[in-house]
Amino acid sequence: MEKNRSNGGEHVNPAYDANLDEPPMYDETVFGNGDHRTVRPSVVSAFGHDTLDRVPNVDFYRNKGSVSGHRAVRPSLQELHDVFQRNGAVSVPDTVQDDGEGSMVTPCDDLESAVPIKDTKGAIKFGWIRGVLVRCMLNIWGVMLFIRLSWVFGQAGWGGAYYLISRSLGPEFGGSIGLIFAFANAVAVAMYVVGFAETVRDLLKDYDLLMVDEINDIRIIGCITVVVLLGISVAGMEWEAKAQIVLLVILLVAIVNVFVGTFLSPTDTKKSQGFFGYNSKIFLENFPPAFRDGETFFTVFSIFFPAATGILAGANISGDLRDAQRAIPKGTLLAIVITGVTYLGVAMCVSATVVRDATGNSNDTIATGMPCNFSSACDLGYDFSSCAETECKYGLMNNFQVMTMVSGFGPLIIAGTFSATLSSALASLVSAPKVFQALCKDNIYKILHFFAKGVGKNDEPIRGYVLTFIISVAFILIGDLNAIAPIISNFFLASYALINFSCFHASYAKSPGWRPAYKYYNMWLSLLGAVLCCVVMFVINWWAALLTYVIEILLFIYVTVKKPDVNWGSSTQAVTFVSAVSNALSLSGVDDHVKNFRPQLLVLTGTPRTRPALLDLAHSLSKTYGLCLTCEVFVGPRSEALEEMNSGMERNQLWLRKQKRKAFYAAVACEEFREGTNSLLQASGLGRMKPNTLMVGFKRNWRTAGIEGVQSYVGILHDAFDFEYGAVMLRMDEGLDVSHIVEAEDEMLKAEKEQRSLDKEMMRSAGKPKGLLRKSRNSSQQVLTTRVSVCAPPPAQVAKRNEELVVASMQFKKKQPKGTIDVWWLFDDGGLTLLLPYILTTRKKWKDCKLRIFIAGQPGQTEKDKQEMKSLLQKFRINCSDITVIDDIHIQPRPDSLRKLEDMIEPFCLREGSKDYAEAEAMKKEHPWKITDEELSSFEEKTNLQVRLNEVLQENSKSANLIIVSMPIARKGAVSDFLYMAWLDILTKDLPPTLLIRGNHKSVLTFYS
């Protein structure tokens, strides 16, 4: 075999340059079979035999154009691994001119669909009129219409939310705003009840019938009222809906009464109280704002805003609607139009007929021709100028019962006020528990799951009603409507901000599942609404807004940390997906760079539970910073394997997540194991996010696994090298596979579950006929016998092995004790053999382990080799506690060590050397997989090297926590599978956990920043 340039159609090393000055000197080395190769003297001296592999050298990591020395090129993986051409060319120059630095080369169902469907037969369902329109109008025509609307315009002049948020933005947003929204509805009950109590209080005051005083009367009346409302709510949705219809009729009559009253001629008493009938001067006078007592537009807005919160009254009971998708938009929009026109009409009528201030004194008249203060009241013959100096009790600014005065029949307005306040309070009293129950059913806050339970066909949240009642009473005791309203405004604005943002976010994610049917919908309008809500919150009350958002953020963080087990197909998931695709596409447009290299592992774990040590070590190497694919190959006819594979996809990924392993699970079904692995090697990953390193466990049973098993295993390594993967192999003396223990545990749990089920059946059957009970007992005894047989203690020797295996399988899950990671960096593979142990030392579990570096050196040049390696490590900025140069690797192994190898391979040797040519050829044809004498002779030095390496490993690294060794490569077509397995076995035999590593011979380390 002669070393010369590649030509013809053979592989050519692209880094080779024949014109380099002063090429390195090579010696001619002749081998027993007549082959020869020019090799570096240092390689022969260090390893004692001819090899294309190179020891680690700083020149392999230089950049193009380096001024401190030529950039060298290490042999490529193909040159080391491909079928060797005796007359072909393999070119491995030591210094080259390079063209650049660092050439380097699963769906789940919506969980909601799995929720058991409850029997809703007999449950009450409402249409869009009773369920949405009536409910929304009654909420919007609330306490503000009759008690505060006149005051608002006197001051200002004229210038199912949880479900939507949680399913749109996910549990983090939904869980945080859901609590706030439910709480806001509970406080709204207090606001409406206090409004009702104010009206009753005023009536009692007019007739001098106050029970205690004004504020305490409001508290007493409010508490009594909320108890009555609670009784109606607990009675069920049907009763509540009937009550709402009655209240709506009263309210409509009261509103008509207001309009009628404005057209009636005012009495002298009403004139003295500020009501003069329609007059353009009054309207113009009331048109501009006239804020008093520190009020501003936004403080007045905060008090009026709760009137608009009724728009969600229908959405909040979406579960009680026959056709929520049709009813909510139709009923809500129509309610907004009707109530908006009503509010505007009432406001205009009242603002055109009632002045801002009036004394209520019929003697405050002005004779014709007397001086006037240019007010509309003055022009109409009344002098209310005293209101500027002393507080008056009448007029838009002072009298909250203006609507009663303006109306045609006062008692009807009182009835309307009662209707508006009570209907709104009743709706909020129903909405708050419903929203809260929905939140609790999602089990986002496990401590609140107690409130998820419902009663009856309609699943009434009785526990939620009681909690809402307690909150309402607490706020009723404040007794001041103007103090309660701004609190509600803040919470509702926060909810509406997220509702608007939900719509925008869903549109922005461009999820195919987001298909808004409303013709005039625009995502940017939704975003504008969200921004305006946030701005208004801070303008109304900055500290209250800040407090609201602090609470929301804390709840958001809590839910994020707890990670509730829900999947709602939220727009947050959609945006994450879009971002991932976008980032993956961006990466695909950028060439890989050595600085950004990170190990991306394809780990052949099988089912992740069955090889925990392999998975734990892979997780330590990749963590959250690299890709880790745990892969399983289902061998057999695809029709049979598919069902098991598909059922395990989600289950195994869920197990990884619960074990906090940042990894993906992938599986394929194939007729042969190697074929399936081949598919994974070629097709796994996406763009730049694809595996670059294969990680496997050592095949401990290779001597009994059969020909196909060994050929498949070694073939997988060959395939990995063909696809330019790095390879990592973990060996632990106790083994890696705990599948038999996992299966036994599963069987035991299954038997115990069946036993408990039968025990319950026996308890239920205690009062049944004797024959049935005897049958149940027989079944129970059968399961018990099965369980005993499954869980029967194994023989002592087997039990001890299993115990050792379980302990070993947990080794990399726990924090490693103080010790060393011994790195035997024998061949320069691009740096992967050094990079992986360095990554381990950066992990918390391995931080107490120091790196020790072992290299092969030339006899007599130990100190020089050590300094060169020390310099290289310093350039890489990798710290190690010690560097050891082994200069006696090339010596012959001990006879007892060689005997172990011979015993290992004896069953797989052909032994054709003593036969004649024809018989030998026939033996080779009959057993092509066996190790021939010619092969043993050709690779005697390399075989001896593995034996000798095990000896020096035993001498130097027996106490290490982990050993890292450069993996030997078997050239395809030259080294038989069983000989290669013997190399791997004898190299790692009787050692602590050992990792064999071979990079793809492309640089993964650089000393350039």
Side-chain angles (χ1 to χ4, degrees):
M1 294 183 290
E2 188 174 26
K3 178 177 184 294
N4 49 43
R5 286 191 62 187
S6 297
N7 50 44
E10 304 301 332
H11 177 80
V12 179
N13 192 318
Y16 178 72
D17 187 348
N19 299 319
L20 290 175
D21 295 331
E22 301 180 5
M25 299 300 296
Y26 288 86
D27 288 344
E28 190 82 359
T29 302
V30 182
F31 294 88
N33 58 3
D35 293 339
H36 62 277
R37 180 190 298 277
T38 51
V39 295
R40 290 289 297 273
S42 61
V43 177
V44 176
S45 301
F47 296 105
H49 72 282
D50 174 25
T51 177
L52 284 179
D53 256 329
R54 291 289 177 263
V55 295
N57 190 288
V58 66
D59 291 338
F60 292 142
Y61 299 92
R62 295 194 186 280
N63 269 349
K64 178 183 177 181
S66 173
V67 297
S68 56
H70 285 298
R71 181 178 187 269
V73 60
R74 66 181 66 84
S76 71
L77 188 60
Q78 288 78 11
E79 289 166 338
L80 291 170
H81 177 245
D82 283 355
V83 176
F84 190 77
Q85 305 292 330
R86 288 181 178 272
N87 299 319
V90 177
S91 176
V92 191
D94 278 72
T95 57
V96 299
Q97 295 290 339
D98 195 15
D99 59 354
E101 179 195 11
S103 60
M104 304 200 335
V105 203
T106 63
C108 72
D109 293 333
D110 189 334
L111 293 183
E112 291 178 338
S113 64
V115 176
I117 299 175
K118 290 189 176 182
D119 179 18
T120 57
K121 186 177 180 181
I124 305 301
K125 297 293 181 181
F126 304 111
W128 70 274
I129 296 177
R130 289 180 65 191
V132 182
L133 179 64
V134 171
R135 194 170 298 274
C136 287
M137 288 196 301
L138 283 171
N139 265 259
I140 299 172
W141 284 334
V143 65
M144 296 302 166
L145 179 63
F146 295 114
I147 299 180
R148 288 296 187 275
L149 185 63
S150 58
W151 176 83
V152 166
F153 283 96
Q155 291 273 2
W158 279 89
Y162 163 71
Y163 194 89
L164 172 63
I165 295 168
S166 63
R167 270 52 179 182
S168 296
L169 296 180
E172 295 84 4
F173 281 106
S176 56
I177 204 63
L179 275 180
I180 292 175
F181 188 68
F183 181 74
N185 274 283
V187 177
V189 176
M191 182 191 74
Y192 295 126
V193 169
V194 167
F196 168 78
E198 274 191 13
T199 306
V200 177
R201 186 272 320 267
D202 290 342
L203 284 174
L204 294 175
K205 185 178 176 182
D206 289 343
Y207 293 98
D208 198 21
L209 294 174
L210 289 177
M211 292 176 282
V212 183
D213 55 44
E214 293 188 10
I215 189 70
N216 283 311
D217 278 18
I218 290 176
R219 292 168 178 164
I220 294 169
I221 297 165
C223 290
I224 295 171
T225 305
V226 80
V227 170
V228 175
L229 293 177
L230 178 64
I232 297 173
S233 300
V234 170
M237 288 295 295
E238 178 67 13
W239 281 93
E240 186 265 351
K242 289 177 180 177
Q244 294 279 25
I245 293 293
V246 174
L247 294 172
L248 177 62
V249 172
I250 298 172
L251 187 53
L252 288 172
V253 173
I255 291 172
V256 172
N257 184 39
V258 172
F259 287 111
V260 171
T262 58
F263 290 97
L264 300 178
S265 299
T267 62
D268 290 341
T269 302
K270 288 186 176 181
K271 286 182 179 179
S272 67
Q273 293 177 357
F275 175 52
F276 294 97
Y278 287 99
N279 188 290
S280 59
K281 290 185 178 180
I282 294 176
F283 183 79
L284 292 173
E285 186 178 74
N286 288 332
F287 191 82
F291 297 111
R292 301 178 190 174
D293 303 325
E295 302 289 355
T296 65
F297 172 82
F298 288 103
T299 59
V300 174
F301 173 83
S302 69
I303 293 172
F304 177 72
F305 180 76
T309 60
I311 62 174
L312 290 180
N316 288 340
I317 63 158
S318 56
D320 296 303
L321 301 175
R322 280 195 296 269
D323 184 3
Q325 188 172 358
R326 175 175 174 270
I328 291 175
K330 188 174 181 180
T332 303
L333 290 174
L334 187 57
I336 290 173
V337 171
I338 294 173
T339 55
V341 171
T342 304
Y343 265 105
L344 190 60
V346 171
M348 291 180 67
C349 290
V350 174
S351 297
T353 57
V354 184
V355 297
R356 281 193 167 106
D357 296 289
T359 60
N361 188 346
S362 301
N363 296 324
D364 288 339
T365 56
I366 301 176
T368 305
M370 293 286 289
C372 189
N373 60 359
F374 303 106
S375 68
S376 56
C378 187
D379 293 339
L380 294 170
Y382 280 82
D383 182 11
F384 298 142
S385 57
S386 60
C387 291
E389 300 173 0
T390 60
E391 185 178 352
C392 293
K393 296 183 179 180
Y394 297 97
L396 295 177
M397 301 292 285
N398 310 302
N399 184 11
F400 291 149
Q401 303 297 332
V402 165
M403 295 296 183
T404 305
M405 177 188 67
V406 170
S407 66
F409 181 62
L412 266 180
I413 297 300
I414 295 172
T417 304
F418 288 174
S419 174
T421 53
L422 293 178
S423 62
S424 299
L426 195 56
S428 294
L429 190 57
V430 170
S431 296
K434 289 281 185 182
V435 172
F436 191 60
Q437 184 186 35
L439 174 68
C440 298
K441 279 185 175 180
D442 287 335
N443 207 20
I444 294 175
Y445 304 102
K446 295 187 182 298
I447 196 172
L448 300 178
H449 192 65
F450 171 79
F451 295 97
K453 183 177 175 60
V455 177
K457 291 289 185 181
N458 273 35
D459 199 28
E460 295 293 342
I462 302 299
R463 295 170 180 177
Y465 284 133
V466 174
L467 181 62
T468 303
F469 169 77
I470 294 170
I471 295 171
S472 302
V473 169
F475 278 87
I476 286 170
L477 295 178
I478 295 175
D480 184 1
L481 184 63
N482 284 16
I484 299 172
I487 298 173
I488 299 172
S489 296
N490 239 310
F491 288 151
F492 275 114
L493 278 167
S495 302
Y496 294 162
L498 276 180
I499 291 173
N500 278 293
F501 185 72
S502 298
C503 294
F504 167 77
H505 201 258
S507 300
Y508 177 76
K510 292 181 170 55
S511 173
W514 171 252
R515 298 181 293 274
Y518 186 55
K519 182 179 179 181
Y520 303 104
Y521 168 75
N522 184 279
M523 61 182 287
W524 300 109
L525 191 61
S526 298
L527 180 61
L528 177 63
V531 172
L532 286 176
C533 286
C534 294
V535 170
V536 170
M537 281 180 68
F538 281 93
V539 173
I540 288 175
N541 191 324
W542 68 268
W543 64 263
L546 203 59
L547 180 63
T548 302
Y549 278 108
V550 167
I551 294 171
E552 185 179 328
I553 290 169
L554 290 175
L555 293 172
F556 178 90
I557 294 171
Y558 172 83
V559 178
T560 303
V561 171
K562 289 296 181 180
K563 292 182 174 61
D565 188 17
V566 295
N567 180 14
W568 295 327
S570 66
S571 60
T572 303
Q573 293 173 335
V575 168
T576 302
F577 178 83
V578 170
S579 299
V581 172
S582 177
N583 291 335
L585 289 171
S586 298
L587 280 175
S588 66
V590 180
D591 291 337
D592 287 332
H593 195 284
V594 64
K595 291 180 188 175
N596 295 324
F597 175 87
R598 59 190 67 214
Q600 315 233 68
L601 305 176
L602 191 155
V603 192
L604 294 180
T605 58
T607 302
R609 295 173 60 197
T610 58
R611 289 173 178 80
L614 188 64
L615 175 62
D616 291 338
L617 190 59
H619 179 255
S620 294
L621 291 170
S622 62
K623 205 76 173 191
T624 55
Y625 311 108
L627 180 67
C628 182
L629 284 176
T630 61
C631 299
E632 182 173 11
V633 179
F634 290 85
V635 179
R638 192 170 67 171
S639 58
E640 298 176 8
L642 274 179
E643 184 178 353
E644 184 183 357
M645 183 183 75
N646 292 336
S647 65
M649 294 292 283
E650 188 175 342
R651 182 178 65 250
N652 287 312
Q653 189 64 56
L654 181 63
W655 184 87
L656 287 170
R657 190 165 69 247
K658 286 184 176 179
Q659 296 296 315
K660 298 182 179 178
R661 293 293 174 260
K662 309 297 184 182
F664 299 96
Y665 172 78
V668 292
C670 282
E671 297 286 344
E672 296 179 358
F673 184 75
R674 182 179 178 182
E675 180 188 352
T677 306
N678 208 310
S679 299
L680 290 167
L681 288 169
Q682 293 181 79
S684 296
L686 185 68
R688 299 288 180 195
M689 293 180 60
K690 63 177 299 180
N692 52 33
T693 305
L694 172 69
M695 189 170 183
V696 297
F698 176 71
K699 191 173 184 65
R700 292 175 71 240
N701 67 338
W702 66 273
R703 280 180 282 180
T704 58
I707 302 168
E708 290 184 3
V710 173
Q711 289 178 336
S712 175
Y713 182 80
V714 177
I716 288 168
L717 296 176
H718 285 311
D719 294 337
F721 291 140
D722 284 342
F723 297 132
E724 295 193 338
Y725 274 68
V728 177
M729 182 184 295
L730 173 63
R731 177 171 187 177
M732 300 177 70
D733 272 353
E734 299 83 359
L736 298 171
D737 189 0
V738 297
S739 57
H740 59 290
I741 299 175
V742 171
E743 287 173 7
E745 288 179 351
D746 289 345
E747 286 294 328
M748 182 180 67
L749 292 173
K750 184 178 179 181
E752 287 179 350
K753 186 177 180 181
E754 290 177 3
Q755 178 66 39
R756 285 195 300 269
S757 177
L758 283 171
D759 288 343
K760 288 180 181 178
E761 184 182 340
M762 288 177 62
M763 292 178 65
R764 288 196 301 268
S765 304
K768 292 186 177 181
K770 192 173 180 180
L772 180 61
L773 184 60
R774 185 181 296 115
K775 182 180 178 182
S776 296
R777 282 179 178 166
N778 290 340
S779 302
S780 179
Q781 187 63 39
Q782 206 170 31
V783 172
L784 187 60
T785 304
T786 304
R787 185 176 69 178
V788 170
S789 66
V790 169
C791 305
Q797 189 177 2
V798 175
K800 185 178 180 181
R801 278 203 305 268
N802 284 345
E803 184 179 350
E804 291 173 352
L805 179 57
V806 170
V807 171
S809 69
M810 299 293 108
Q811 181 167 340
F812 301 129
K813 194 183 293 289
K814 59 188 179 183
K815 191 176 187 299
Q816 300 300 301
K818 286 187 177 181
T820 63
I821 299 175
D822 287 1
V823 182
W824 292 74
W825 195 16
L826 304 176
F827 307 115
D828 197 314
D829 59 353
L832 189 67
T833 306
L834 181 61
L835 178 64
L836 293 186
Y838 165 74
I839 290 174
L840 281 180
T841 61
T842 64
R843 308 306 191 207
K844 190 176 180 180
K845 290 178 183 176
W846 294 85
K847 68 176 183 179
D848 292 333
C849 296
K850 305 295 183 183
L851 284 184
R852 291 197 305 175
I853 308 296
F854 295 82
I855 59 171
Q858 302 176 55
Q861 295 191 28
T862 301
E863 193 58 34
K864 178 184 176 184
D865 291 338
K866 183 174 182 178
Q867 289 303 318
E868 286 180 354
M869 177 54 62
K870 184 177 181 181
S871 174
L872 179 60
L873 293 175
Q874 287 175 344
K875 288 178 182 294
F876 287 148
R877 300 174 297 282
I878 293 177
N879 296 322
C880 68
S881 62
D882 188 32
I883 299 174
T884 303
V885 179
I886 308 296
D887 59 1
D888 59 350
I889 293 179
H890 62 282
I891 67 174
Q892 189 75 4
R894 295 192 303 269
D896 62 318
S897 300
L898 286 173
R899 196 174 305 112
K900 289 180 182 178
L901 176 71
E902 290 168 0
D903 293 342
M904 190 181 292
I905 64 175
E906 180 58 35
F908 313 107
C909 290
L910 190 63
R911 300 303 183 198
E912 85 289 1
S914 60
K915 312 293 181 183
D916 58 39
Y917 179 80
E919 189 177 356
E921 289 299 313
M923 291 173 67
K924 289 180 183 178
K925 185 174 290 187
E926 184 180 358
H927 304 288
W929 50 271
K930 283 198 171 184
I931 307 169
T932 64
D933 292 343
E934 181 184 2
E935 181 185 353
L936 283 175
S937 175
S938 299
F939 294 99
E940 180 181 2
E941 292 88 353
K942 194 163 185 178
T943 302
N944 289 346
L945 175 64
Q946 314 311 320
V947 180
R948 176 58 186 155
L949 279 173
N950 181 261
E951 291 179 348
V952 294
L953 283 164
Q954 297 279 357
E955 294 169 8
N956 294 276
S957 297
K958 190 68 174 177
S959 61
N961 289 19
L962 181 67
I963 300 174
I964 312 286
V965 188
S966 293
M967 180 189 290
I969 290 182
R971 187 179 294 281
K972 288 191 298 184
V975 180
S976 65
D977 296 334
F978 281 93
L979 180 59
Y980 184 53
M981 287 304 301
W983 286 358
L984 300 178
D985 197 345
I986 199 67
L987 173 61
T988 57
K989 191 174 181 62
D990 299 326
L991 290 172
T994 304
L995 267 185
L996 294 173
I997 300 178
R998 176 66 73 153
N1000 64 359
H1001 285 245
K1002 295 180 180 180
S1003 294
V1004 301
L1005 289 169
T1006 180
F1007 46 76
Y1008 297 98
S1009 298

